[in-house]
Amino acid sequence: MRSLGQHCCCLGLAYATLALLAPNVGAIASNYSDVAALLEEGYLALGNDQDEDKEKMQKYIAKQKEECHRMSACYCLKPAENPANGFCGWCQSTQRALLGTLDNPFPEEGKCAWWIFKHEDCPILWCNGNHFTSHLLTCGLQFLFFFLLAVITRFCFPYRPSRTIKPLLLQMTRSEDEFRRGLWGERLPYPSRYVQHHFDAPLGVCGIICTVIKSAWAGTRSSFYSAWVSTCSFAVYAFIFNVSLRLLPSLISWHQWKVFVLWLTGLQQVVDVLNTIVGLIFGFYALGRVDWWWKVIGIIRDFQHGAHDTLLMIGATAGVQDPVAGSWNKEKWNFYRWMLAVYVLLFRGCCPSFSLATWEDMVNMGIMTEDEKVILMKAVHPRKVLLKWCSVWIQYHIKDDFVRSHILNKLCVARGNSAGLSDQLEQRAPWSFEAILYAAVKIFIILLPAGHTKLLELDDRVTLVESFPFVPTLANCVACFFYSSLLNLLERFKEPFLSDSVDGIDPNTVILESETQFIDVLTCPIPECLKGFAKTDEVYDEQAAAKDHRASLNFRKSLLEESRERKSILQAQRKSHFVLPQGSNGDSGPSGISFPPSSLPSDSTARQRKTPVEGDSDDDA
C-alpha cells in the first residue's frame, strides 16, 4: 500500500510539472487516455522526492477547480470559454461544472448521472451573453446592409408606371404640297433605332453583370428593375431566416433540434418537388412566350412587306400608265395617307402611346379629311373601311388586270397580317395553367432559404452556430432574382408595345420605316435612261422650286413695301390735320391742297385707327 501511494504521488508530481510547462494541457490532449499517457511520461522523467513540485501541483489543481466551477452553462466547455479545457466537464443532472475525465468526474467532485465532457454534446449551445456579442454584432451589420438596400431601393427608386406619350408620328403635319415635293420635301427622318432593343454582350462575365445591374439600378423599365426591387425585399426575409436558423440551436434542446431538422427536411422535399414542377412548366411556358414574341414581330414585318409591295407596284404603274383622271400626284397622295392611317389605327388598339391619337390628331396630321373622319368615327372597324377605300382606288386607277390582281393580293396580305396581329396579341395560355405556374414560382421563391439548407450539415450544430448567414443569403437572392426576372419578362410579353421599356417593340420605328419608303417609291423621279418609255409625271424640280421660292419672296417684299408706303401716307394725313391754322374750316390744307371735309380724320377717328395702322406693318411683315 505504501509503494502504491508513493507511485501515485510521483504520478501527481509529474502531472503538475507538465501543467506548469503547458497550462492548457487540454488543448494538446482532449481525452483521458492522452492525459494518462502524458502523466506516465512525466512520471518516468521525474524523481520521487519533489515536494516543491507537489506544492505547485496542488495550486494548479485548485486554480483549475476554481475556473471549472465558475462556468454557468454546458456550452462554456468550448475551448474559447473554458480555461480548464481538458479537465472540466458538465453535470447536466446537477447543472454544475466539475473536474473530471471523458467518462466521469473525479471522485472528490462527486457522482453525476448525466455527464458531458465535450461542448458539442451539450443540449443547448448557449454559454452566456458575452460569447455571442461579436457574432451578433457582425450579423447585425449584415442585416443593416440588406435592410438599408431594401429601403433605398423601395423609397428612393420607387416603381414608376409606364409613361404614355404621344408618338413622334403625330408631331408633323403632312400636306399635298410637301408630298408633291417628294424627296426634297420635309418629312420625318428614318428611325435611328431598331424595332426592339438589342443586347450587345460586353466582353467577360463582369461586363455582363455590370450591364444587368446598371439596367436594374437605372430603372429603365426592364424586367430586371422590378426583379431588383423584389429581390432587395426578399433579401431581408432570407437573412432573417438564415440568422434564426443559426440561433435556434442556442435556444432549444438537442431533442427539439432533431424534431426541427425533421420538419426542415420535409420543407426541403417540398422545395425539390416545386423545383421539378417549376423547371418543367416554367421552362416550357417561357419558351412558348418567347416564340410568341417572335411571331408578333414576324406578323408586323409581314404586314409591312405587304404594304411596301402594294405601294411599290402602284408607284411603278404610275410611271408607265396615264392617270385615269386628274394627276397621279393627287391620286397617290390619297392612297398614301390612307395607308398611313391604316398603320395608326393598327397600333392604336394595342399600343398605349398610339391610343392617345385622337381623330382630331389624325386630321391635323394631314392623313385624314373631315368628311373621312365622320365616316370612320361611325364605323366599328375603321381600319377595314380604309382598306376598302384602298381597294376601290386600285380597282379604278390600275388598268392592267394582272397588275391589279397582284396589287390587290398584296393588299390582302397586309390586311390579313393586320388582323393576325390583334389575334396574336389576344393569345394566352389557359387561365388555370398560368395560375398554377405563378403560384408554384411564388411558393418556390418563398421556400428558397429552407431548400438551400440541405447543403448544410444540420447535425453539426456547433459549426452551424458559428457560421455567418451572409453568403447563404446572397445565394438565395441570386435564385430569387433569376426567377423574378423571368416572371416579370413574361408579364412584359403581354404588353409588347410599351414605349419606355427596353423589352418593348417600338411602333414608331415600324411606321417611320414604312413612311419613308412610301415617299421614296411614290414620288422618286425617273432617271434619264427610263424617260424614253416612262410617262412624265409631275416630278418636283428643285431649280423650278427655288425659282418659285424667289418669286414668292419678291412678292412678299413688294407687299411689305406697299404696306409701308400706305402707312406713311396715313401718317402724313394725320400730320396735316393737326397743323391747320386757327379759324380754318378744314377746306384747305397747309399747302393749299383742298380736301373734302369727310376725308380729314377727326381726333376720335385717328385714335381708333392708330392701333390697326401700326399693326399693318407687323402683319404684312
Side-chain angles (χ1 to χ4, degrees):
M1 293 294 293
R2 183 177 180 180
S3 60
L4 181 61
Q6 293 177 351
H7 182 74
C8 293
C9 182
C10 291
L11 287 176
L13 290 174
Y15 177 79
T17 303
L18 290 176
L20 291 174
L21 297 176
N24 195 4
V25 179
I28 303 175
S30 60
N31 52 46
Y32 179 73
S33 60
D34 295 333
V35 175
L38 289 175
L39 291 175
E40 184 178 357
E41 183 179 353
Y43 173 75
L44 296 176
L46 295 175
N48 294 326
D49 298 329
Q50 298 275 344
D51 295 336
E52 184 178 357
D53 295 335
K54 183 177 180 181
E55 183 180 357
K56 291 181 179 180
M57 179 194 69
Q58 292 175 352
K59 291 181 180 180
Y60 178 76
I61 292 175
K63 182 179 180 181
Q64 295 296 321
K65 188 174 182 179
E66 180 182 0
E67 293 290 344
C68 181
H69 290 173
R70 190 180 300 172
M71 288 186 290
S72 59
C74 177
Y75 194 60
C76 295
L77 294 175
K78 66 176 185 176
E81 302 290 337
N82 182 14
N85 184 35
F87 309 103
C88 185
W90 180 263
C91 183
Q92 184 65 23
S93 57
T94 60
Q95 295 291 315
R96 290 184 58 194
L98 305 174
L99 290 177
T101 62
L102 180 64
D103 298 326
N104 295 298
F106 289 147
E108 59 269 18
E109 293 287 329
K111 296 183 179 181
C112 180
W114 187 357
W115 175 250
I116 300 174
F117 192 73
K118 295 181 179 180
H119 66 284
E120 294 92 345
D121 300 330
C122 293
I124 299 177
L125 304 185
W126 178 266
C127 177
N128 50 52
N130 296 328
H131 86 285
F132 275 120
T133 301
S134 60
H135 189 73
L136 290 177
L137 180 61
T138 305
C139 293
L141 293 176
Q142 296 173 6
F143 173 77
L144 185 63
F145 167 76
F146 287 111
F147 180 77
L148 290 179
L149 184 62
V151 170
I152 291 173
T153 305
R154 178 69 63 177
F155 295 101
C156 297
F157 300 92
Y159 179 79
R160 294 184 293 272
S162 177
R163 297 175 299 171
T164 54
I165 56 176
K166 286 190 176 182
L168 180 65
L169 188 71
L170 305 179
Q171 301 178 8
M172 180 179 176
T173 301
R174 292 146 186 84
S175 63
E176 185 178 353
D177 293 336
E178 289 297 331
F179 179 79
R180 186 181 62 85
R181 295 177 66 187
L183 306 183
W184 290 268
E186 294 183 3
R187 52 177 173 167
L188 292 174
Y190 191 81
S192 59
R193 56 163 290 182
Y194 297 105
V195 175
Q196 63 179 124
H197 286 271
H198 291 179
F199 176 74
D200 298 327
L203 297 178
V205 179
C206 294
I208 297 177
I209 295 176
C210 291
T211 302
V212 173
I213 294 177
K214 180 180 178 181
S215 173
W217 191 261
T220 53
R221 283 197 60 80
S222 64
S223 58
F224 297 132
Y225 176 73
S226 302
W228 174 262
V229 174
S230 59
T231 301
C232 290
S233 301
F234 172 81
V236 177
Y237 154 74
F239 188 83
I240 293 176
F241 179 89
N242 290 315
V243 170
S244 302
L245 182 66
R246 284 153 178 78
L247 292 178
L248 203 57
S250 302
L251 304 176
I252 62 177
S253 65
W254 173 249
H255 175 72
Q256 293 172 336
W257 175 255
K258 287 184 177 180
V259 175
F260 175 76
V261 169
L262 291 176
W263 177 78
L264 200 60
T265 304
L267 283 182
Q268 293 174 2
Q269 295 175 355
V270 173
V271 173
D272 291 339
V273 174
L274 287 175
N275 191 17
T276 304
I277 296 175
V278 170
L280 293 176
I281 302 180
F282 198 58
F284 170 77
Y285 182 74
L287 291 178
R289 296 306 292 177
V290 172
D291 182 67
W292 174 88
W293 174 273
W294 288 333
K295 287 181 179 178
V296 170
I297 298 179
I299 291 174
I300 294 174
R301 290 306 189 187
D302 290 340
F303 170 76
Q304 272 189 297
H305 298 162
H308 295 171
D309 292 345
T310 302
L311 272 296
L312 175 62
M313 287 185 286
I314 289 176
T317 304
V320 296
Q321 176 185 309
D322 292 327
V324 176
S327 64
W328 272 119
N329 281 333
K330 175 66 176 178
E331 303 303 330
K332 289 188 294 186
W333 159 251
N334 292 329
F335 197 91
Y336 158 77
R337 55 187 187 83
W338 289 341
M339 286 300 298
L340 207 57
V342 170
Y343 273 82
V344 175
L345 293 177
L346 173 64
F347 292 109
R348 190 186 181 195
C350 56
C351 179
S353 60
F354 274 81
S355 63
L356 300 177
T358 62
W359 296 105
E360 292 296 332
D361 291 333
M362 286 185 275
V363 172
N364 295 332
M365 287 171 56
I367 62 175
M368 191 178 299
T369 61
E370 288 292 340
D371 60 327
E372 294 171 350
K373 182 190 76 170
V374 173
I375 298 174
L376 294 175
M377 289 178 63
K378 293 294 183 179
V380 179
H381 303 283
R383 188 179 71 251
K384 308 295 178 59
V385 174
L386 286 169
L387 291 172
K388 174 192 173 182
W389 295 348
C390 292
S391 302
V392 173
W393 189 98
I394 294 171
Q395 291 281 4
Y396 179 73
H397 289 90
I398 306 301
K399 297 179 181 179
D400 189 270
D401 294 338
F402 177 77
V403 176
R404 182 171 61 249
S405 175
H406 197 56
I407 295 176
L408 287 174
N409 183 35
K410 292 297 182 180
L411 186 64
C412 290
V413 170
R415 187 220 61 81
N417 285 285
S418 65
L421 179 61
S422 301
D423 298 338
Q424 189 70 18
L425 292 177
E426 294 176 359
Q427 183 178 348
R428 293 286 188 274
W431 185 91
S432 300
F433 182 87
E434 288 192 350
I436 293 174
L437 173 64
Y438 278 65
V441 174
K442 292 294 184 181
I443 296 174
F444 177 73
I445 292 176
I446 293 175
L447 297 180
L448 270 176
H452 285 179
T453 55
K454 65 181 180 181
L455 302 177
L456 303 175
E457 295 182 3
L458 298 178
D459 294 335
D460 190 359
R461 297 182 301 158
V462 176
T463 304
L464 182 64
V465 169
E466 299 296 334
S467 63
F468 293 101
F470 187 80
V471 175
T473 303
L474 286 182
N476 297 333
C477 291
V478 170
C480 175
F481 183 78
F482 174 76
Y483 286 103
S484 299
S485 299
L486 284 182
L487 273 184
N488 294 327
L489 181 60
L490 294 178
E491 283 298 313
R492 289 297 176 89
F493 281 165
K494 297 179 180 179
E495 296 181 0
F497 295 104
L498 291 177
S499 58
D500 60 339
S501 172
V502 296
D503 300 320
I505 301 173
D506 188 10
N508 288 287
T509 301
V510 176
I511 298 181
L512 290 179
E513 287 177 353
S514 297
E515 184 180 12
T516 52
Q517 292 193 36
F518 291 170
I519 297 293
D520 289 345
V521 299
L522 291 178
T523 65
C524 63
I526 300 298
E528 293 294 335
C529 61
L530 296 179
K531 287 185 177 180
F533 54 89
K535 300 295 180 181
T536 56
D537 199 358
E538 298 178 13
V539 181
Y540 176 76
D541 188 354
E542 189 173 8
Q543 295 180 356
K547 183 178 178 180
D548 294 340
H549 183 65
R550 288 193 297 270
S552 176
L553 291 178
N554 293 332
F555 178 72
R556 294 181 62 187
K557 185 177 180 181
S558 62
L559 290 178
L560 182 60
E561 292 177 354
E562 183 180 353
S563 174
R564 290 175 178 175
E565 184 179 357
R566 186 173 66 255
K567 181 181 178 181
S568 62
I569 293 174
L570 293 174
Q571 289 178 350
Q573 290 177 355
R574 296 194 196 99
K575 185 176 180 182
S576 62
H577 170 70
F578 289 110
V579 298
L580 289 176
Q582 294 182 357
S584 174
N585 57 4
D587 295 336
S588 62
S591 57
I593 303 176
S594 298
F595 295 96
S598 60
S599 64
L600 294 177
S602 61
D603 293 342
S604 60
T605 306
R607 284 192 294 268
Q608 292 174 1
R609 294 180 59 186
K610 183 177 180 179
T611 302
V613 169
E614 292 182 353
D616 288 341
S617 61
D618 296 336
D619 295 338
D620 295 335

